[in-house]
Amino acid sequence: LFRSHLPTMALRLLLLRPRAASSVQRMHVFLRTCSTSQTSATAEAAELAKRQLASRSGPPKSRKAPAARWVPAEAAAARGVLSSREAPAAQLASLRALLREASGKELYNIEQTCRVKDWLQKKAWEAERQEEAGRLVQEIEERIADYVDQGLPYRDKTHSPGL
């Protein structure tokens, strides 16, 4: 008699004191009681446990995927070139062509998102391609410096009114 009521009593104890046991322990007892005995009392207790487990944490949360970050078209094109499986010579040529077509702002955006200079310096090139990659890195640095230096001329605001 005692053995037949043991799973039901353990289940009732866990249901009465839900904070004493974790949800994993409660689920384990629930599954064990469902598989060991098929009495109506156990089935009722199992149904009660199932309802309590489902409602314990509240309604299901909405799990939306984070919004995809906007990437400029020129940066997406540069990523395509950097991740292509072309031969290194063809990859370098297509990258050079892409960067020559880009304006100062586009080149700046490509460098900020793809880190092309770092990629060129880290990649293992052949001796001839190594020099070409170095020249391309210098060209990128110069064009970005020219783009950043553009703008309003320097104005000393030390003695201007309103400061």
Side-chain angles (χ1 to χ4, degrees), residues 5-15 21-37 42 45-46 49-50 53:
H5 293 288
L6 182 61
T8 310
M9 291 174 60
L11 184 63
R12 285 184 184 159
L13 284 174
L14 286 174
L15 292 176
S22 69
S23 60
V24 175
Q25 290 171 333
R26 288 196 315 273
M27 182 57 81
H28 180 67
V29 169
F30 165 68
L31 292 174
R32 193 175 64 211
T33 55
C34 287
S35 63
T36 56
S37 63
T42 308
K50 189 176 181 181
L53 283 175

Side-chain angles (χ1 to χ4, degrees), residues 103-121:
S103 67
K105 181 178 181 178
E106 291 171 343
L107 183 64
Y108 181 79
N109 285 336
I110 289 171
E111 175 57 30
Q112 290 297 309
T113 55
C114 302
R115 303 290 180 194
V116 177
K117 290 190 313 185
D118 295 339
W119 183 84
L120 287 168
Q121 291 168 346

Side-chain angles (χ1 to χ4, degrees), residues 48-120:
L48 179 65
K50 189 176 181 181
R51 274 188 269 129
Q52 282 192 350
L53 283 175
S55 65
R56 178 162 164 73
S57 62
K61 307 285 188 283
S62 157
R63 304 269 188 239
K64 294 181 182 175
R69 189 170 162 219
W70 178 77
V71 177
E74 62 272 2
R79 282 182 181 163
V81 171
L82 296 180
S83 64
S84 70
R85 299 280 183 190
E86 296 177 336
Q91 202 173 19
L92 195 58
S94 59
L95 184 62
R96 180 180 291 280
L98 177 74
L99 296 179
R100 282 201 175 146
E101 292 175 2
S103 67
K105 181 178 181 178
E106 291 171 343
L107 183 64
Y108 181 79
N109 285 336
I110 289 171
E111 175 57 30
Q112 290 297 309
T113 55
C114 302
R115 303 290 180 194
V116 177
K117 290 190 313 185
D118 295 339
W119 183 84
L120 287 168

